[in-house]
Amino acid sequence: MAVSPTSAGHEIRKIFTTLHNEPIEFYIDPASAEREKYTELIVKNGGFVHEQESLLPTVIYLTERAWDTRPTVPFLFVDDALARGYVVDPGYDKNYAKDYHNQLVPREQYPAEKTKKAKKSRAPTTRFTAEADHYILEQVRMKPRFRTTHKFFEELASHEPLKGHTGNLIRSRYRLQLENKLNYVYKTDEYDRILLDANGQRICVPVESAKTLKTKYTAQDDYQLCTDVIDHVLRHQSRALIAATSGPYPYDEDKFSISISFFDQYAHQHPHHTSLSWRDRYRKFARKFGLQAYKAFYEQGLNTKDGPTPMKSLTERRVKDEDGNTVAKEPSSKKRKSQRGAVYSLGAVMDPHTDLGFHGHEVPGMNQMPGQYDVESAAAVAQMAVNSRGNARIDKALEEQNSNLDDNIDDALRESGAGAGRVNMVDEIDSAIHPNLQAHRVGHIGDENAFGDIDIKVPDSQDPLAEMNYMPRDCTLDDLFTGLFYEEDQKNVLGRILNYLEDLAAQETGKVIDKLEGIGLTRKFVGHILRVTSAHAMYVHEYMTHVFRCLDQSKHSGTLLFVHDRDGFWTPEADEALEKQNYAALSHMSESSINLRRDFLGFA
DNA sequence: ATGACTCATATGTCATCTAC
DNA sequence: GTAGATGACATATGAGTCAT
């Protein structure tokens, strides 16, 4: 709670808090020089600044200049709020990108602060009118994703047509009386903005197909999962090893070994639940219930009037004691070493685990983003991409690897799937690059620019790509930089590299490697850079800018490694697309970049 | 790979009050 | 008396993180 108790015991709302005294959430353009200053101001005044970019519509995105790609708000917004001493509550419909001044309301117009302990006498009841019911339904249709939340109805309570009803009551009214009349909702985008058809009309979507709420596990889901896990195990494990020695079922489920990649694959095939969700369903429910037991239970249930039910009441979150009181589960004997998962606490801003920084060292598993590839997958992909030239086709290699490595490889090459529906931070970095910075780009091959068509000449050798491999996405900063790097004044390093590259005439790769190694990049990392950029000076130049920006922003080293969907920057996936002549996947590449890449990889 | 957690959300329940 | 309104709270679970 972003409130300060006063001597009188009342609570005064800080500037950057909502009407419900919750911190208003911000995200500040990482490219802004004033980021630190505004973070401090916001946090000091009760707000919360996200470390990672958030796509939530309630998170205000502060930038110096407006973006075309998403709603943004100038820093002036913060200045004005501080000067006036108040700010509006960022509700679901607020669009701060547009003339936010009009949305500022005098603080005195805020509803009176709630006094927590005041004895409430219930207000006289107000009957819901047909108009109010209609209004509730329309609001729900416009924000279908929020219709089960308390907050949404609390927000509705402040709407004029529903004055006199509390949020809880509106929610109750909706749940008990109106839900069955909802029938349809309006189609919304990922920001929960209403989409319009060609005629400017809202698009109605039947509630059942709106897919706006968390999906509950059905009996069919559970049955399918149990069946598929068992089938998977039977395909990949020796039947002799998993045979049960006792009990009513043929297999000993304790001996089942299911890899994470199985669930990734599974979510790819059954995308109505995420990979993690399937995995947890297996771990917390299916395994406890018993896969074979549930199959039998389900099949038996088919013969009953109500049909089979999904697995439930198998978690151990709370238990009841003899008196019927709920008690927390006995804590583990292992003491928690640190407070974890405090997503919305201000402490999270200062969480040292998110502060990689220049001098930070990787903590195993830290910042591992959903959808990122694991070590083996990434390494395998990198290796296959490297080996692809003159060797068997990747898809064939994939097929072979796939059977050997228990599905791990194709996960890495897959563009969607387990991570579908989640934000892949590797991609996010690219979209997070400020358009103003994009303006500093050095242009494409063939443009008039400082580099012209300078390729860094690759030495003749039996395998010129041997030293230019992609690095695995989860490598650490220590894999990228040597101690030398940290001895340099960081501000000068980038300038020196860029000057060097600008002065570059066609040179041998060896000299470039030596030069970059000389300022503290590991040889492997230099190889990676050349691999990503097709060893073209212009792209190396731009890539180094990207690297330093990532370092400035304390980005995970895995995020730093690849530049997605930008002309001239290659990834294992893009190489594979080129190899397979899948040009649709290379639509972001210019023809000259593709030709350059062909030459670089030695494709005919 | 997995156990052990946390967090937020989704859903349900209940006692009491009020209007009719 | 009864249906509906109201407020408060409990419970379940999907989703995610972290440590080992």
Side-chain angles (χ1 to χ4, degrees), chain A residues 9-28:
Chain A
H10 296 297
E11 291 178 335
I12 303 293
R13 181 166 50 246
K14 288 190 173 179
I15 293 173
F16 296 115
T17 58
T18 68
L19 294 178
H20 308 296
N21 274 335
E22 291 152 344
I24 294 177
E25 297 166 77
F26 294 84
Y27 175 72
I28 302 179

Side-chain angles (χ1 to χ4, degrees), chain A residues 25-46:
Chain A
E25 297 166 77
F26 294 84
Y27 175 72
I28 302 179
D29 177 12
S32 167
E34 306 216 80
R35 192 181 194 209
E36 213 173 302
K37 172 187 150 192
Y38 280 99
T39 300
E40 199 184 327
L41 283 171
I42 289 165
V43 171
K44 205 169 112 189
N45 288 284

Side-chain angles (χ1 to χ4, degrees), chain A residues 74-305:
Chain A
F75 288 110
L76 192 61
F77 174 80
V78 175
D79 297 330
D80 280 359
L82 290 169
R84 293 172 187 229
Y86 58 82
V87 72
V88 287
D89 185 352
Y92 299 105
D93 276 316
K94 305 286 193 293
N95 180 355
Y96 288 95
K98 290 179 187 166
D99 191 12
Y100 66 90
H101 287 97
N102 293 337
Q103 298 183 41
L104 294 176
V105 295
R107 192 176 181 79
E108 51 272 24
Q109 285 181 18
Y110 277 5
E113 301 281 347
K114 277 185 189 168
T115 47
K116 219 162 185 177
K117 292 291 167 195
K119 182 78 184 169
K120 294 177 201 117
S121 61
R122 181 178 284 179
T125 53
T126 319
R127 293 225 154 229
F128 279 95
T129 62
E131 290 76 23
D133 284 349
H134 176 75
Y135 187 81
I136 295 168
L137 281 173
E138 274 301 287
Q139 291 299 314
V140 169
R141 285 176 185 134
M142 288 193 284
K143 297 287 171 193
R145 194 164 65 84
F146 300 97
R147 67 183 184 273
T148 51
T149 67
H150 289 265
K151 268 190 178 175
F152 170 69
F153 289 99
E154 277 169 25
E155 182 76 17
L156 277 192
S158 65
H159 293 202
E160 193 57 42
L162 299 172
K163 279 277 158 59
H165 302 291
T166 63
N168 216 343
L169 174 58
I170 298 167
R171 175 174 165 268
S172 174
R173 176 74 184 175
Y174 168 73
R175 244 173 23 87
L176 300 174
Q177 313 289 336
L178 303 176
E179 191 163 21
N180 59 348
K181 297 175 187 163
L182 185 64
N183 299 331
Y184 65 91
V185 297
Y186 297 123
K187 192 171 185 178
T188 51
D189 68 6
E190 62 188 295
Y191 296 104
D192 298 299
R193 292 174 302 204
I194 294 172
L195 297 172
L196 302 177
D197 63 16
N199 301 319
Q201 299 297 310
R202 291 169 179 168
I203 304 161
C204 297
V205 183
V207 175
E208 56 275 12
S209 53
K211 305 276 183 225
T212 46
L213 297 179
K214 253 204 264 197
T215 343
K216 295 202 83 175
Y217 277 91
T218 62
Q220 287 75 20
D221 283 342
D222 285 337
Y223 180 72
Q224 195 69 50
L225 176 66
C226 291
T227 306
D228 292 343
V229 165
I230 292 169
D231 288 350
H232 176 80
V233 168
L234 292 178
R235 279 200 310 275
H236 291 82
Q237 286 184 259
S238 155
R239 289 184 190 224
L241 285 176
I242 58 170
T245 51
S246 62
Y249 302 109
Y251 306 115
D252 180 352
E253 293 173 13
D254 287 344
K255 298 203 172 92
F256 283 14
S257 170
I258 312 290
S259 65
I260 287 178
S261 62
F262 167 80
F263 296 103
D264 288 349
Q265 179 88 37
Y266 203 70
H268 190 48
Q269 289 161 355
H270 307 281
H272 56 296
H273 296 291
T274 65
S275 171
L276 278 169
S277 179
W278 281 117
R279 184 175 67 122
D280 256 21
R281 190 67 183 174
Y282 168 67
R283 286 162 46 190
K284 291 177 181 168
F285 292 85
R287 218 163 48 172
K288 280 193 179 170
F289 196 107
L291 303 162
Q292 298 159 100
Y294 186 76
K295 275 187 78 176
F297 170 82
Y298 179 90
E299 282 155 11
Q300 216 167 21
L302 288 174
N303 300 321
T304 63
K305 186 165 71 76

Side-chain angles (χ1 to χ4, degrees), chain A residues 545-561:
Chain A
T545 310
H546 159 81
V547 166
F548 276 79
R549 190 184 303 135
C550 287
L551 288 171
D552 266 346
Q553 295 164 16
S554 301
K555 294 287 182 188
H556 187 275
S557 51
T559 303
L560 170 157
L561 284 174

Side-chain angles (χ1 to χ4, degrees), chain A residues 470-519:
Chain A
Y470 289 115
M471 297 195 74
R473 282 177 164 91
D474 68 341
C475 66
T476 68
L477 285 186
D478 289 342
D479 296 324
L480 308 184
F481 304 105
T482 66
L484 263 180
F485 185 75
Y486 301 102
E487 289 169 18
E488 301 265 350
D489 178 351
Q490 305 300 335
K491 281 181 183 155
N492 295 334
V493 172
L494 178 62
R496 280 174 44 206
I497 295 173
L498 300 186
N499 285 340
Y500 169 71
L501 290 166
E502 278 174 10
D503 294 342
L504 193 70
Q507 295 197 34
E508 298 296 321
T509 308
K511 286 186 186 170
V512 177
I513 292 174
D514 288 347
K515 190 79 183 178
L516 293 176
E517 274 190 280
I519 57 113

